[in-house]
Amino acid sequence: MSGSKCARLSGQLVRQVLDSVDCVLFDCDGVIWRGDKAIPGAPQVVKLLKQHGKRVFFVTNNSTKTRKMYADKMSTLGFDVTEDEVFGTAYCSAVYLQTVCKLQGKVYLVGSDAMKQELEAVGIQQTGLGPDHISGKQTDWARVALDPEVKAVLVGFDEHFSYMKLNRALQYITRSECLFVGTNRDSRLPLEGGTAVPGTGCLLQAVETAAQRQAATVGKPNRFMFDCVASKFGVDPGRCLMVGDRLDTDIMLGSNCGLKTLLTLTGVSTVAEAEAIQKSGCAERQGMVPDYYVESIADLLPALQG
Amino acid sequence: MSGSKCARLSGQLVRQVLDSVDCVLFDCDGVIWRGDKAIPGAPQVVKLLKQHGKRVFFVTNNSTKTRKMYADKMSTLGFDVTEDEVFGTAYCSAVYLQTVCKLQGKVYLVGSDAMKQELEAVGIQQTGLGPDHISGKQTDWARVALDPEVKAVLVGFDEHFSYMKLNRALQYITRSECLFVGTNRDSRLPLEGGTAVPGTGCLLQAVETAAQRQAATVGKPNRFMFDCVASKFGVDPGRCLMVGDRLDTDIMLGSNCGLKTLLTLTGVSTVAEAEAIQKSGCAERQGMVPDYYVESIADLLPALQG
């Protein structure tokens, strides 16, 4: 294979790359599906990779689903996937708090019911789920009732995010020895038809601005999500391919962990963006330049069927 | 007067400095009051400055009150102040949208009833005031009902801030030709007893992260608030003293506008912080170093009474 990056993956090169890996990691949204529709050919790609003896995993920054909810959605869309092949930030954040932080105490959760479920599955109790509307006068807000057992604030996607939740997070974080963790920094959640809604990164920025402190983040490009996969399944980074639609999260994760990287153009980032970063020469950003790109992961099909 | 900055203002120097100015601008919270209590001696300082023929103005980033509400609060705390001497960001944002932006259309308001009142006083209609809770499914959020007459998003302090407001702001901003303005970037609102609650800066950061775009901000250190005072009362910047408790807003505003600057230690910033910035030699930050400092503005009393 040539040493140049950002090469179009086609023809003979597809089989060469696939032969060089034992394991393929896929991002989900914009890669294997968009919204509620599978990318055409994607279920077949996953099926054939497995038939060729590859291990396949799914690594998503989205914190709104448990592993089980992902496996169910994938099944509905025609993918043959088991729960333990899926790594979302709801699950990985719970693992992070348990294994890395060794949290002894409760979590103040700005997040989803899925996050609550994944926390409870590893034995961590939470408080904070659901609506929390403003009440009382401003002078009361700093004296809002807090749970003395809370030792960490975890911020993920929360459709009930509110000023009072922001305030409660601030009051917890300014107590002594409170951990501060975010699921991910994605600024927008892309939906079908080119629309988007605010992502977890917005909520995390709000809490960080109040706290005057940076959260540790679990999601891509932080290598923790790959470490979750590697420690559970013993995969060799040098024989893994990371497939994603975002340069700043998916491709950067792959580079951070020494994986081969493949950008697919069915989502957020473009080849022009990757080439611009490559030409900029900016050392810190070179990890965002993928080894290869495809129009869609369906471009892998001929090599897998041949 | 000596050329060195960050000098303690005491003794003879107080009268020299006061003689060199015709106009004194005070920040409010942490300077003339804290929460609901006047700084001891502050009402007397304001009264004596006026008796000595000085013009006195109040310039605050807080967006939760109209000029009338400020004048009423000041009156309750013993200050002799009229409505037109007060410049808050609720009022100044309305003036900014009217005179600088020449807005033709409505505002989507993330803010307070005071902001609504000040907008309406200059003939600008708003939509968005009050609670806006989440409803429907994620796929519906990007298609939320929008008012076609809205041509600007204005973000100020909003105790009803919610995910849906954040989303609605994003949907307006991503339409063509929508202005995006914030009242200020203060990250926290300090309350009595060393406590604090999240400030407008948190909400603005959340919207900016979603919008992937910076808002124009009206509040200090942006010179617009001084321009409001200067254009209305024809003051000479070289003969003005800006008195504040924050280096990054009050003192920076004074430096940006060529005013003399006085840090008072009854609020947020310390002399040590100012000296550290001075020693850092960082050119961009030298505007945060005040000319003078006092423990409290009551330190001006002897010179005014003498």
Side-chain angles (χ1 to χ4, degrees):
Chain A
M1 270 166 275
S2 98
S4 74
K5 299 201 84 177
C6 208
R8 186 181 187 114
L9 191 59
S10 63
Q12 282 298 99
L13 192 55
V14 182
R15 191 165 299 175
Q16 279 180 41
V17 170
L18 291 177
D19 283 348
S20 74
V21 299
D22 304 322
C23 169
V24 182
L25 289 89
F26 289 100
D27 174 41
C28 295
D29 198 39
V31 176
I32 64 164
W33 67 57
R34 271 193 81 94
D36 285 328
K37 284 183 188 140
I39 297 285
Q44 186 71 354
V45 168
V46 170
K47 188 179 168 191
L48 289 170
L49 282 169
K50 289 186 173 185
Q51 283 182 8
H52 282 73
K54 312 293 180 192
R55 299 256 20 187
V56 178
F57 300 104
F58 302 88
V59 180
T60 172
N61 273 0
N62 192 308
S63 63
T64 61
K65 290 185 175 65
T66 60
R67 284 165 298 165
K68 169 106 179 45
M69 289 156 80
Y70 274 114
D72 290 348
K73 172 172 178 171
M74 286 175 176
S75 184
T76 305
L77 296 184
F79 292 94
D80 170 28
V81 171
T82 60
E83 204 175 314
D84 61 352
E85 290 167 327
V86 185
F87 294 78
T89 52
Y91 169 69
C92 289
S93 297
V95 173
Y96 181 83
L97 287 168
Q98 184 198 33
T99 62
V100 177
C101 306
K102 304 197 189 304
L103 176 68
Q104 300 285 329
K106 284 189 196 172
V107 161
Y108 175 65
L109 177 64
V110 176
S112 60
D113 187 63
M115 292 174 70
K116 173 179 182 279
Q117 290 182 43
E118 294 287 18
L119 286 169
E120 288 177 353
V122 301
I124 298 174
Q125 298 303 305
Q126 64 77 42
T127 175
L129 185 69
D132 186 4
H133 303 316
I134 200 79
S135 66
K137 287 167 48 181
Q138 193 174 75
T139 45
D140 303 326
W141 300 342
R143 294 189 296 260
V144 77
L146 300 181
D147 184 330
E149 291 177 48
V150 166
K151 302 293 179 200
V153 168
L154 174 60
V155 178
F157 188 82
D158 187 347
E159 66 188 50
H160 297 293
F161 187 73
S162 65
Y163 182 79
M164 195 47 119
K165 289 194 166 195
L166 171 61
N167 175 53
R168 224 177 276 269
L170 169 61
Q171 305 310 327
Y172 278 118
I173 291 169
T174 49
R175 295 197 311 184
S176 63
E177 294 179 54
C178 183
L179 296 166
F180 180 21
V181 176
T183 55
N184 66 297
R185 296 190 179 277
D186 296 44
S187 58
R188 290 185 185 175
L189 224 58
L191 302 178
E192 283 167 277
T195 61
V197 293
T200 303
C202 306
L203 317 186
L204 190 57
Q205 274 281 347
V207 179
E208 288 183 326
T209 302
Q212 297 172 359
R213 182 175 147 193
Q214 282 248 315
T217 46
V218 169
K220 300 171 283 184
N222 186 320
R223 60 171 296 132
F224 181 74
M225 291 194 72
F226 177 73
D227 292 344
C228 275
V229 178
S231 69
K232 206 160 169 180
F233 294 95
V235 301
D236 172 3
R239 292 192 59 84
C240 284
L241 177 67
M242 174 72 213
V243 186
D245 72 316
R246 291 185 70 127
L247 303 176
D248 58 344
T249 53
D250 303 319
I251 304 306
M252 196 70 184
L253 172 77
S255 302
N256 284 345
C257 301
L259 321 180
K260 294 179 176 68
T261 53
L262 172 60
L263 174 69
T264 177
L265 303 178
T266 46
V268 171
S269 300
T270 64
V271 173
E273 285 163 10
E275 288 174 342
I277 293 166
Q278 192 172 21
K279 279 180 194 149
S280 76
C282 173
E284 280 170 25
R285 303 179 76 214
Q286 290 311 303
M288 288 165 65
V289 182
D291 295 318
Y292 311 103
Y293 72 89
V294 285
E295 292 292 326
S296 154
I297 61 168
D299 295 0
L300 304 178
L301 277 178
L304 290 166
Q305 288 164 330
Chain B
M1 270 164 274
S2 97
S4 75
K5 300 202 82 176
C6 208
R8 185 180 187 115
L9 192 59
S10 62
Q12 283 298 99
L13 191 56
V14 182
R15 191 164 300 175
Q16 279 180 41
V17 170
L18 292 177
D19 284 348
S20 74
V21 300
D22 303 322
C23 170
V24 182
L25 289 90
F26 289 100
D27 174 41
C28 295
D29 198 40
V31 176
I32 63 164
W33 66 57
R34 270 194 80 96
D36 285 329
K37 285 182 188 142
I39 296 286
Q44 186 72 353
V45 168
V46 170
K47 189 179 167 190
L48 289 170
L49 283 169
K50 289 186 173 185
Q51 282 180 10
H52 282 75
K54 311 293 182 194
R55 299 257 20 191
V56 178
F57 300 104
F58 301 88
V59 181
T60 172
N61 273 0
N62 192 307
S63 63
T64 61
K65 290 185 176 63
T66 62
R67 285 165 299 164
K68 170 105 179 42
M69 289 156 81
Y70 275 115
D72 290 348
K73 171 171 180 174
M74 287 175 175
S75 185
T76 305
L77 296 184
F79 291 95
D80 170 27
V81 172
T82 61
E83 203 175 313
D84 62 352
E85 291 167 328
V86 185
F87 294 79
T89 52
Y91 169 68
C92 289
S93 297
V95 174
Y96 181 83
L97 287 168
Q98 185 199 32
T99 63
V100 178
C101 305
K102 303 195 189 308
L103 176 68
Q104 300 285 329
K106 285 190 197 171
V107 161
Y108 175 65
L109 177 64
V110 176
S112 60
D113 187 61
M115 292 175 70
K116 172 178 182 279
Q117 289 181 45
E118 294 287 19
L119 286 169
E120 288 177 353
V122 300
I124 298 175
Q125 298 303 306
Q126 64 77 42
T127 176
L129 185 68
D132 187 5
H133 303 315
I134 200 79
S135 66
K137 286 167 49 182
Q138 194 174 74
T139 44
D140 303 326
W141 301 341
R143 294 189 296 258
V144 76
L146 300 180
D147 184 329
E149 291 177 48
V150 166
K151 302 293 180 200
V153 168
L154 173 60
V155 178
F157 188 82
D158 187 346
E159 65 190 51
H160 297 293
F161 187 73
S162 65
Y163 182 78
M164 195 46 119
K165 288 194 167 197
L166 171 62
N167 176 54
R168 225 178 275 268
L170 169 61
Q171 304 309 329
Y172 278 118
I173 292 169
T174 49
R175 295 197 310 183
S176 64
E177 294 178 54
C178 183
L179 297 166
F180 180 22
V181 176
T183 56
N184 66 294
R185 296 190 179 277
D186 296 44
S187 58
R188 290 184 185 177
L189 223 57
L191 302 179
E192 283 167 278
T195 61
V197 293
T200 303
C202 306
L203 317 186
L204 190 56
Q205 274 282 348
V207 179
E208 288 183 326
T209 302
Q212 298 170 0
R213 181 176 149 192
Q214 282 248 314
T217 47
V218 170
K220 299 170 284 185
N222 186 320
R223 60 172 296 132
F224 181 75
M225 292 194 72
F226 177 73
D227 292 343
C228 274
V229 179
S231 68
K232 206 159 170 182
F233 295 95
V235 302
D236 172 3
R239 291 192 59 82
C240 284
L241 177 67
M242 174 71 215
V243 187
D245 70 315
R246 292 186 71 127
L247 303 176
D248 58 343
T249 54
D250 304 319
I251 303 305
M252 196 69 184
L253 172 77
S255 302
N256 284 344
C257 300
L259 321 180
K260 294 178 175 67
T261 53
L262 173 60
L263 174 70
T264 178
L265 303 178
T266 47
V268 172
S269 299
T270 64
V271 174
E273 285 163 9
E275 288 174 343
I277 292 167
Q278 193 172 20
K279 280 180 194 147
S280 76
C282 173
E284 280 169 27
R285 303 180 77 213
Q286 289 312 303
M288 289 165 64
V289 182
D291 296 317
Y292 311 103
Y293 72 90
V294 285
E295 292 291 326
S296 155
I297 61 168
D299 295 359
L300 304 178
L301 278 179
L304 290 166
Q305 289 163 330

